[in-house]
Structure formats: structure tokens, C-alpha cells
Amino acid sequence: REMIFVIDNSGSMSGASMDAARRSLIYALGTLRPQDRFNVIRFDDTMTQLFDEAVPASREQVRTAHMFASGLHAGGGTDMLPALRAALVDRQSARSSVIRQVIFLTDQDEVATWARLEALTGDVALVEPALSTAPAAAPATDATRPGSADLAV
């Protein structure tokens, strides 16, 4: 599988939302298997890809991603579209047997962005965890919307 993590570190994520997104990303990095490939893309009103393309989930690469995630802080404006476009670039199209997942970590309700991306998604599984600072026992919400899942941390 190939996992592309897109994390929002814009000013609106300040405080509990940024903490939840950072913890969620670090947790997800810990679930990667050596045969997986991954990348991390962060955005505010700018965008940074950790690696030029998805890389094998070696201990060294995962450690690099962990340090990158740990250093993220909220600030700036919000421009998600360039990060989403970068996440959807498939440089390994010949590897058709690979399951590619793009995971968005944001506090935004990006219905308009989802609509704009429908034509670009192809065979990519889109996942948008709802970041919550509520206790894990809190009831799940919005899990029926395509492309979304709840994550309480």
C-alpha cells in the first residue's frame, strides 16, 4: 500500500486541532509496514512535501517523517488545493496492484475541494478523518460522508 498524509498546519489549526492532527499523523506513521510506501505533505498558504515522491517505509524514513511531524506548528493562511494536487500525482502508475490512500488531516469542511477533486481522484482512496479533541468514547459523527472517517484522539 501507498499512504500519502496531507496535514493542515494553517492558522485555523492552532491549539487542540494541531495537537490532534500531529498526534494522529505520528500514530499513523507508526502503523506503516516495511513494504509500504508513504509521503507527508503539509500545507498552510504554502506547501511542503517531505519527500519528492512516496518512499519505502524504512525505519530511517519513518523516523525522518516523525521528526518532520513533531516540528509542525499552526500558522498562515489556508490553501489546500496545491497540496491535494501534489498528493494525487501518481508517479508509480505502473504499480497498479498497489493500494494508494490519501489521508487528509484538517479541521476544515472541504466540501468544495472534494467536488473540485472528483475528476482527479481515479483509483485513489480518499480519507478525511474528523479531528476531534473529545474523549475517545464520544459518538462518531459524519462517518457516512464518502471519503470521511472519524478519529477521536
Side-chain angles (χ1 to χ4, degrees):
R1 70 183 172 169
E2 183 174 280
M3 300 183 76
I4 310 299
F5 302 99
V6 180
I7 185 167
D8 180 350
N9 70 305
S10 66
S12 69
M13 291 288 289
S14 151
S17 293
M18 190 71 236
D19 292 341
R22 190 181 312 106
R23 283 193 318 267
S24 297
L25 175 55
I26 290 169
Y27 173 81
L29 291 170
T31 68
L32 292 171
R33 303 168 301 194
Q35 66 268 29
D36 293 337
R37 296 179 64 79
F38 79 103
N39 202 354
V40 179
I41 301 171
R42 65 111 225 128
F43 73 93
D44 47 26
D45 52 352
T46 63
M47 176 197 72
T48 304
Q49 293 185 93
L50 179 57
F51 305 108
D52 289 336
E53 60 185 35
V55 297
S58 68
R59 286 181 194 228
E60 181 180 331
Q61 304 290 36
V62 171
R63 186 174 22 250
T64 298
H66 188 282
M67 290 186 318
F68 179 78
S70 296
L72 291 174
H73 299 285
T78 304
D79 188 5
M80 180 185 268
L81 202 53
L84 297 181
R85 283 188 177 134
L88 296 173
V89 170
D90 186 3
R91 294 187 174 109
Q92 302 292 326
S93 59
R95 297 171 31 157
S96 61
S97 64
V98 173
I99 296 172
R100 190 156 189 246
Q101 299 172 307
V102 178
I103 297 94
F104 304 107
L105 299 162
T106 181
D107 66 342
Q108 304 294 312
D109 181 11
E110 296 294 335
V111 174
T113 302
W114 285 111
R116 282 181 268 160
L117 287 172
E118 276 186 27
L120 301 175
T121 57
D123 293 331
V124 178
L126 300 172
V127 180
E128 182 184 22
L131 297 177
S132 171
T133 56
T141 60
D142 201 28
T144 59
R145 188 173 65 139
S148 71
D150 277 345
L151 179 63
V153 290

